[in-house]
Amino acid sequence: ARRSEAGGVSGIGDAQPTPPALFSRGMCLEFAVGSAAKVLGPDFAVVDTYRARVRLPDEPLMLVDSILSVEGEKGVLGPGRLVTEHDVHPDAWYLDGDRAPVCISVEAGQADLFLSAYLGIDLEVKGERTYRLLDATVTFHRGLPRPGDVIRYTIDIEKFIRQGPTWLFFFRFDGTIDGHPLITMRNGCAGFFTEEEVRNSGGIILTEDEVKPQPGIAPDDWQPLVAMGAESYDESGLAALRRGDPGACFGAPFSGIQLPASQRLPGGRMALIDRVLSLDPAGGRYGLGTIRAEADIHPDDWFLTCHFVDDMVMPGTLMYECCAHTLRVLLLRLGWVTEKTDVAYEPVQELDCRLKCRGPVTPQTRKVYYDVEVKEIGYAPEPYVIADAHMYADDRYIVFFKDM
């Protein structure tokens, strides 16, 4: 890509050579788990004395392989930009259907964290407040990244504002592969809050229009592929979906079907839901089906201990992935299965998915719940579904995803 005098990237569709890194992966890891001063310089030595500071995640969720350029005045809470890259390796732990899933494709644009620190937010909040994502709108413009792809993110912090003692910043990013648009994130907002402020935030509050029943969208001649009723699935049922045996979870209509790896419920680190408490094929706000999954939270869960080492909270991107896995169970039960090995789950392109996050999952959380409601479903131009998702930490409503 053509590099501007200010260090930005332009020329969508151009070749995308990688210039030397301004901050290497090793330096990004140092920023994640070590010293801010070693990366940002001696003016940031005091930041290393604070109880908590802005960090990148630790492994395995530290996804910034290099920072190519940074713009903005160091230590000054104003606008800034940086450009980063993430390499999708053939043996990456997160691959799902030989693709980097939605959560990784979004999370790899995580260096707004680094940029906010570079611009001096820790010098202002002095460890008394910690970073929490509030809002974002994500849109995909092509298929998910594949092994060998390099995702380049151009991340902009537009401005910081202060509301009483609370600091907020507004940001966005563009992700490209070989100069072609992959993903955009807009209307990003994050803030710095005390634990008491988070506890007293009230969680997600929806308007009357956002909760009242309304008809979903489906083809006029829509017919279920298999008979369905109200069901639930325990840990053994979800384990069967992870090994590709839907018959062991769903029963006789699926007997003898062996799912290719790309259609199974992910496992390993990505085994993110433990059981399905309820499935109603005609339920939900839109009458097109709803499903509720549950997961047990443990203080040593990998997604807590790495994110972040001094302020453990579940990443919002992984919350999305949990909802997506819950939806996947519903789609499998609908009969959306095939033995074709090149079929995989992809986000609907050019569809804006909005996130509202108003509370964390922490080591003190015991259970989380994911409620997913189908709002639109069809087969053209390929089988697709659009849904809303709601997440609860114990009994607290903390996250709303609109138009998954």
Side-chain angles (χ1 to χ4, degrees), residues 124-321:
E124 179 65 38
V125 301
K126 304 184 189 318
E128 297 171 0
R129 297 172 169 272
T130 50
Y131 172 101
R132 295 291 181 266
L133 177 65
L134 297 175
D135 300 286
T137 300
V138 173
T139 310
F140 280 85
H141 308 289
R142 50 151 280 177
L144 290 169
R146 307 290 291 270
D149 286 336
V150 177
I151 315 171
R152 180 174 291 184
Y153 297 89
T154 301
I155 305 167
D156 288 274
I157 288 182
E158 298 160 346
K159 62 181 176 180
F160 290 84
I161 67 169
R162 185 169 186 168
Q163 295 181 339
T166 302
W167 280 96
L168 304 172
F169 72 86
F170 297 87
F171 66 107
R172 66 184 184 187
F173 70 65
D174 292 83
T176 61
I177 296 175
D178 291 332
H180 298 282
L182 164 69
I183 182 176
T184 52
M185 192 284 295
R186 295 292 185 265
N187 306 314
C189 179
F192 294 83
F193 304 96
T194 65
E195 292 183 13
E196 182 180 7
E197 287 170 342
V198 171
R199 281 195 305 270
N200 296 329
S201 70
I204 294 289
I205 300 173
L206 298 180
T207 67
E208 183 177 342
D209 285 342
E210 289 175 313
V211 298
K212 69 181 181 183
Q214 64 182 69
I217 299 173
D220 292 337
D221 59 351
W222 181 262
Q223 293 290 331
L225 297 174
V226 289
M228 295 187 66
E231 297 179 3
S232 61
Y233 316 114
D234 61 13
E235 291 89 340
S236 65
L238 296 193
L241 296 182
R242 292 189 173 102
R243 64 176 184 267
D245 182 6
C249 182
F250 301 142
F254 294 81
S255 179
I257 295 174
Q258 184 63 31
L259 295 175
S262 61
Q263 296 169 53
R264 299 174 185 178
L265 195 64
R269 287 195 184 106
M270 287 298 204
L272 299 174
I273 58 177
D274 292 325
R275 58 199 70 88
V276 169
L277 302 182
S278 62
L279 182 155
D280 181 352
R285 179 186 175 200
Y286 306 96
L288 293 179
T290 186
I291 182 171
R292 165 171 265 219
E294 178 185 64
D296 303 323
I297 301 297
H298 312 90
D300 60 351
D301 281 331
W302 71 269
F303 49 78
L304 294 175
T305 57
C306 76
H307 187 276
F308 304 93
V309 297
D310 55 11
D311 176 36
M312 291 190 285
V313 291
M314 187 178 187
T317 53
L318 212 64
M319 294 173 176
Y320 176 96
E321 200 69 15

Side-chain angles (χ1 to χ4, degrees), residues 317-329:
T317 53
L318 212 64
M319 294 173 176
Y320 176 96
E321 200 69 15
C322 296
C323 296
H325 290 188
T326 302
L327 178 58
R328 187 178 300 195
V329 174

Side-chain angles (χ1 to χ4, degrees), residues 342-378:
D342 60 345
V343 172
Y345 294 89
E346 293 268 6
V348 174
Q349 295 177 23
E350 307 305 333
L351 177 69
D352 297 340
C353 178
R354 290 194 293 150
L355 158 71
K356 289 184 180 181
C357 187
R358 297 296 183 268
V361 172
T362 72
Q364 288 71 49
T365 305
R366 290 296 167 256
K367 290 184 182 294
V368 291
Y369 303 92
Y370 308 100
D371 290 350
V372 181
E373 303 174 299
V374 175
K375 64 193 304 183
E376 183 174 345
I377 193 167

